[in-house]
Amino acid sequence: MKLEFDNVNYVDDGGLLAAEIVLTGGEIIALKNSGRLVVGNARPDHDIVTLKSGKERYRRTTARQKDWTEELLRNEAVVGNLTFNLNPDECDFSIDEEGHTLTIDQGNLDQEVDSATRTRSIISAGENPAQTFDLDTRFAVRIWFANEEEERKLFHVYNQRGEKVNDTVAKFQYQSTPHQRIAKLLMVNSPHLGMDNIEVQTNAVSSNSNKLTAFNTLSQATEAFWSNDPMTEADEKMDADYLIQFWDELVAHRPEYGRLNKEERQKLRGVSMAGTAVSIHGILALADAMRTTGTPLSKLAGLKSSVIIKDGAGADRLVDYLDYDNPLWTDLGVLVNATDKAGNVKKTLRMSFQTRKAMGDAMKRNLGL
């Protein structure tokens, strides 16, 4: 059966000819159901596996597909251009640039170049029992006319050129979850944080910086350890207001979590847990525990405690609770001994969900929670 497309615009890109068309969600699904659009490419996620029952499915459904499907069901998805291909070695088609038409006499469109996940999301939304996806939604589609070798090159260009923006920049520019929005409200409105004390361009803070932490760290900590699930914008603001007050009290007892100059910040690095990324997670876990138990914020004074340790000669020595020399942190695995290039053994932070949780649990125990 012939496929005919009207209102086609032709473009030149990378020495190849390509067509630009518009298809509705319903038309894309019809192409797939008729077998005229083969969805999938070299990514293992798109491999078709056969179950014992004889049914076929894709090897893996990614989180990206789930997110796109949910957004399509709300008719709010940003999908961008979809990419199809007509392999001239396998298909017969006619191009009419003056008449702005494309006719496919034989063969199928494929997605070996790109966008199979987005197409699968459109199909998934269209087949969802809720039937809330508007099948008349129009999508921009580029059709390449690339042979197998050219197709492989295009796949490489689409998937290897360029670099995804880091999580800090992405989350600071747009917050997709309530917890991310709470983190930004905290950062923007706390007099102890703000853009001049929170890194918003990279996922890590430079050793030469005076800043406390990166926004992605603050956001991740909130997402992982803030247990409240706000339903409205007012709920989010209420949670953020609590955290702003919490941070005021925290800085009153541990100024390391507020604004410091570069010299003060650098003196802490490598000797104190205060202000480290893993401790930010611990602080958010502590804040959540104090909120849920109704613990007065004044109890944060307990974080300014000291512990007695033995020095090399066996004598008692007093160290700050958050000092690297507090054996608690190595006992919990938050700090580990590592050898640097010069052969010196020094304590190094270990970042994992387990150590972040251990940090929070230790802080809660310290305050009797």
Side-chain angles (χ1 to χ4, degrees):
M1 182 180 72
K2 283 186 178 181
L3 291 175
E4 297 182 350
F5 300 99
D6 299 319
N7 302 314
V8 180
N9 291 313
Y10 290 91
V11 297
D12 301 300
D13 196 358
L16 299 175
L17 182 69
E20 306 278 358
I21 67 172
V22 174
L23 293 176
T24 66
E27 289 170 335
I28 291 169
I29 293 169
L31 282 172
K32 185 264 181 184
N33 290 341
S34 68
R36 300 307 298 274
L37 171 61
V38 180
V39 181
N41 57 39
R43 292 179 183 270
D45 293 355
H46 304 302
D47 291 347
I48 300 294
V49 295
T50 303
L51 306 177
K52 291 181 179 179
S53 63
K55 292 183 179 180
E56 293 183 337
R57 66 167 176 81
Y58 292 102
R59 182 174 299 281
R60 184 167 175 245
T61 299
T62 64
R64 293 183 305 146
Q65 182 183 330
K66 292 178 181 177
D67 290 343
W68 264 316
T69 300
E70 182 177 327
E71 290 164 357
L72 285 162
L73 288 168
R74 296 198 303 264
N75 295 295
E76 297 175 351
V78 177
V79 172
N81 279 42
L82 299 174
T83 306
F84 296 173
N85 186 56
L86 276 173
N87 188 329
D89 295 336
E90 300 174 358
C91 305
D92 293 328
F93 51 87
S94 302
I95 293 170
D96 184 351
E97 294 194 45
E98 291 186 3
H100 296 280
T101 62
L102 169 64
T103 303
I104 305 173
D105 299 298
Q106 186 177 357
N108 303 320
L109 295 151
D110 68 60
Q111 289 199 291
E112 292 295 331
V113 174
D114 192 51
S115 67
T117 301
R118 283 171 284 162
T119 301
R120 285 173 58 186
S121 301
I122 292 169
I123 295 164
S124 178
E127 294 175 346
N128 190 282
Q131 294 293 294
T132 57
F133 171 49
D134 183 0
L135 293 175
D136 290 328
T137 301
R138 293 167 293 184
F139 297 93
V141 179
R142 167 169 285 198
I143 301 177
W144 292 93
F145 308 107
N147 60 33
E148 185 175 356
E149 182 179 350
E150 292 165 337
E151 205 167 34
R152 288 176 178 173
K153 176 184 176 182
L154 289 170
F155 177 84
H156 174 82
V157 171
Y158 270 65
N159 291 280
Q160 295 297 317
R161 295 281 175 86
E163 187 175 344
K164 186 182 85 165
V165 68
N166 68 64
D167 289 342
T168 284
V169 172
K171 289 181 181 180
F172 181 72
Q173 291 297 324
Y174 178 76
Q175 298 78 49
S176 61
T177 69
H179 291 86
Q180 290 175 9
R181 290 191 288 272
I182 290 168
K184 185 165 183 181
L185 285 170
L186 167 61
M187 189 213 82
V188 171
N189 293 302
S190 170
H192 309 290
L193 302 177
M195 289 182 63
D196 54 347
N197 197 26
I198 299 293
E199 176 59 60
V200 298
Q201 294 296 321
T202 60
N203 284 340
V205 176
S206 166
S207 59
N208 294 320
S209 173
N210 68 300
K211 293 183 179 181
L212 171 63
T213 194
F215 180 73
N216 186 49
T217 299
L218 187 65
S219 180
Q220 282 184 335
T222 309
E223 293 171 70
F225 295 108
W226 189 253
S227 63
N228 200 30
D229 191 16
M231 300 296 292
T232 67
E233 186 176 337
D235 293 337
E236 292 173 13
K237 185 177 183 303
M238 189 178 301
D239 283 1
D241 286 345
Y242 176 88
L243 284 171
I244 291 167
Q245 295 174 45
F246 172 92
W247 222 273
D248 286 342
E249 190 70 21
L250 172 67
V251 172
H253 303 290
R254 300 289 331 196
E256 303 98 320
Y257 290 94
R259 298 172 184 274
L260 300 178
N261 62 40
K262 186 185 297 185
E263 183 180 358
E264 291 170 329
R265 186 70 69 192
Q266 288 179 334
K267 284 181 179 179
L268 295 170
R269 293 193 171 120
V271 297
S272 175
M273 302 298 297
T276 60
V278 68
S279 79
I280 297 295
H281 288 264
I283 289 294
L284 262 295
L286 177 60
D288 183 70
M290 295 182 74
R291 176 190 62 84
T292 56
T293 58
T295 302
L297 295 179
S298 57
K299 286 210 69 171
L300 284 167
L303 290 181
K304 194 59 180 175
S305 57
S306 300
V307 296
I308 299 173
I309 66 169
K310 298 291 184 182
D311 63 16
D316 288 345
R317 181 163 68 93
L318 203 63
V319 298
D320 182 73
Y321 170 70
L322 291 175
D323 196 288
Y324 269 31
D325 285 341
N326 183 352
L328 172 65
W329 309 123
T330 51
D331 291 344
L332 293 175
V334 178
L335 287 174
V336 294
N337 290 320
T339 305
D340 62 19
K341 293 180 179 179
N344 301 311
V345 177
K346 63 178 184 177
K347 293 173 182 175
T348 304
L349 287 165
R350 187 165 74 87
M351 283 289 289
S352 67
F353 179 78
Q354 289 77 14
T355 58
R356 295 167 187 174
K357 183 178 183 300
M359 187 85 202
D361 291 343
M363 288 183 164
K364 288 184 279 187
R365 286 194 299 271
N366 186 54
L367 299 191
L369 299 179

